[in-house]
Amino acid sequence: MRGRAALSALLVAACHPAAPRVTMLAPPVAPGPVAAADPAVAVEPVTGDLLLSWVAGDSSDWHVYFARSPDGGATWSAPGRVTDRAHDVHPHGESSPRLVAAAGVIALAWTNSVPAPAPGRKWPGSNIRFARSIDGGQTWSRAVTLNDDTAAGPAGHIFHGAARSGESGIAVAWMDERGGAAPGNTAAASRLGHHAGAPEEPDATVYLAHSGDLGGTWAPNRPLWGAACPCCRVALARAPDGGVVAGWRKHFAGNVRDVVVTRLAEQPGPDVRVHADNWVYPGCPHTGPGLVVDGAGTVHVTWFSGKPGAAGVYYARAARGADFGAPVALIRARTLPTAHPRVASLPDGGAVIAWDVAGDGSPALFIARVTPDGRASSAVEVPGSAAADHPDVLTLGDGSVVVAWTAQRGGEAALQLARVTP
């Protein structure tokens, strides 16, 4: 019997790789503000330093902050403020600031809120704001607005992604109301592939702003793809050849809301459906995909589906030039509240995925590893992560992964950080 038990244990270990180990890290603390949320992480390509941005403040005002760590999050520089004027940002997990690092330049893109909506508008307007630092984050340029339709009055420009492109470029893409399937704009709606008659929210169009000099100047905005869920973040990821891969949640006919990916190009190409979940939903679920491209050109995608009977967090990958393989279910239940998964690639071709919902529907942070041959480890719940929200993940040079998320402490939002050893 003992022999059978040992054999059974070996078989289980062979089928399920070891779960990752999690070590908590102390986050930086900005002076004065009582709440902190919406972290983003990046690696400075020359020094290998870990970079962190977040939103901090209170009910009177909020600002974007930045800090850097030379030792993978063990110690931090004194936080510095990025935003240069009051009321230029507000906490928003699905539209948190995005951080881009290049040799000599660190850049941040975020959204603000235009509090007075135009007549007939249901929601406030918003703009895509941008600033950069050329001295390692010690000082920041005056913020500029990237969407170039500000003269038209308040409109939605939000749920953005950002990535470095080529040797000296930055791409920022977002969900934009221009060209949407609104009454009276049927020509644009038809041209961009929008679906009319969505019962709750009209489609958005994915718009792009591109800079060829790391944020010094910007080309005019370009519309890329229509029929996009208007409240799900677009994800951008740099490929090893310098190109940029985009992912978003598309509105298919019949109110199906599934994730697609494609490459940015001068002439937008067709998008590729990662998996036909066929999740029918009459609005926008506020959960875009997590996306990363590894050094071999493999595209790793994670996403949430709320399809009844198959709700959960999923992961799939596509080697360069190949189709996406069958998805791996990391958590699955008959019904689940919305999750916001993110993915980091590993040097061996595998991945680490983080998400913010438990199998019983409660908010908590979970980590799982997927091996290069598609086997998923058991999910690890991060200690003390109750009420976790919108994680961000990043692979460091030593192969470990840093996870940052918004937590709740004493009724206030707070930053939380951990290092994951796959």
Side-chain angles (χ1 to χ4, degrees), residues 326-419:
V328 177
L330 301 169
I331 179 175
R332 182 167 170 159
R334 208 178 91 70
T335 61
L336 279 175
T338 300
H340 308 92
R342 292 295 178 262
V343 59
S345 62
L346 296 175
D348 66 359
V352 166
I353 298 92
W355 66 93
D356 53 0
V357 68
D360 63 2
S362 59
L365 189 73
F366 287 82
I367 309 289
R369 177 170 68 101
V370 179
T371 62
D373 59 1
R375 293 177 297 127
S377 72
S378 298
V380 174
E381 182 176 356
V382 175
S385 66
D389 185 41
H390 281 88
D392 197 19
V393 296
L394 175 75
T395 306
L396 299 179
D398 62 1
S400 65
V401 172
V402 167
V403 185
W405 67 98
T406 302
Q408 292 291 327
R409 289 181 179 171
E412 292 284 359
L415 287 186
Q416 200 80 67
L417 290 169
R419 180 188 283 263

Side-chain angles (χ1 to χ4, degrees), residues 249 259 274-275 277 288-290 301-305 312-316 327 341:
R249 189 176 295 277
V259 170
V274 176
H275 182 254
D277 293 336
V301 183
T302 185
W303 70 97
F304 171 79
S305 173
V313 171
Y314 295 86
Y315 161 85

Side-chain angles (χ1 to χ4, degrees), residues 17 31 34 61 64 81 110 149 153 162 185 199 229 304 325 330 355 359 374 397-398 403 414 421:
V34 296
D61 200 7
V64 179
R81 204 177 84 180
W110 67 92
D149 64 335
N185 202 5
C229 276
F304 171 79
L330 301 169
W355 66 93
D398 62 1
V403 185
T421 304

Side-chain angles (χ1 to χ4, degrees), residues 212-281:
D213 54 7
L214 293 174
T217 58
W218 293 87
N221 295 176
R222 288 199 294 133
L224 298 180
W225 304 283
C229 276
C231 303
C232 294
R233 183 195 292 276
V234 58
L236 298 184
R238 178 180 172 85
D241 62 1
V244 175
V245 177
W248 67 98
R249 189 176 295 277
K250 184 174 180 177
H251 178 195
F252 292 86
N255 271 324
V256 170
R257 313 275 169 161
D258 286 350
V259 170
V260 297
V261 298
T262 191
R263 286 179 67 101
L264 295 184
E266 283 298 320
Q267 295 298 323
D271 51 70
V272 176
R273 200 173 188 171
V274 176
H275 182 254
D277 293 336
N278 293 314
W279 179 21
V280 177
Y281 191 78

Side-chain angles (χ1 to χ4, degrees), residues 178-218:
R178 285 176 286 181
N185 202 5
T186 54
S190 174
R191 176 174 60 86
L192 291 165
H194 294 288
H195 297 294
E200 291 186 8
E201 297 163 297
D203 295 343
T205 300
V206 179
Y207 263 70
L208 172 73
H210 187 268
S211 170
D213 54 7
L214 293 174
T217 58
W218 293 87

Side-chain angles (χ1 to χ4, degrees), residues 32-261:
V34 296
D38 299 352
V41 285
V43 168
E44 209 283 333
V46 175
T47 65
D49 285 1
L50 172 61
L51 310 179
L52 174 70
S53 70
W54 68 99
V55 177
D58 56 29
S59 58
S60 63
D61 200 7
W62 297 85
H63 285 280
V64 179
Y65 286 84
F66 170 86
R68 62 190 302 144
S69 171
D71 47 21
T75 61
W76 292 94
S77 66
R81 204 177 84 180
V82 176
T83 39
D84 58 2
R85 71 184 191 189
H87 309 295
D88 202 27
V89 71
H90 67 291
H92 195 315
E94 188 66 10
S95 192
S96 56
R98 295 292 87 192
L99 184 58
V100 177
V105 172
I106 302 168
L108 270 160
W110 67 92
T111 56
N112 66 6
S113 178
V114 181
R121 286 185 57 83
K122 185 176 181 181
W123 310 111
S126 51
N127 295 307
I128 304 293
R129 303 281 285 162
F130 174 88
R132 69 174 187 165
S133 172
I134 58 173
D135 57 11
Q138 297 181 59
T139 61
W140 293 83
S141 66
R142 182 171 296 278
V144 297
T145 297
L146 297 189
N147 51 283
D148 55 15
D149 64 335
T150 54
H157 317 85
I158 195 169
F159 305 113
H160 60 296
R164 187 162 66 96
S165 67
E167 289 301 313
S168 59
I170 295 177
V172 181
W174 63 89
M175 296 299 173
D176 198 298
E177 292 182 348
R178 285 176 286 181
N185 202 5
T186 54
S190 174
R191 176 174 60 86
L192 291 165
H194 294 288
H195 297 294
E200 291 186 8
E201 297 163 297
D203 295 343
T205 300
V206 179
Y207 263 70
L208 172 73
H210 187 268
S211 170
D213 54 7
L214 293 174
T217 58
W218 293 87
N221 295 176
R222 288 199 294 133
L224 298 180
W225 304 283
C229 276
C231 303
C232 294
R233 183 195 292 276
V234 58
L236 298 184
R238 178 180 172 85
D241 62 1
V244 175
V245 177
W248 67 98
R249 189 176 295 277
K250 184 174 180 177
H251 178 195
F252 292 86
N255 271 324
V256 170
R257 313 275 169 161
D258 286 350
V259 170
V260 297
V261 298

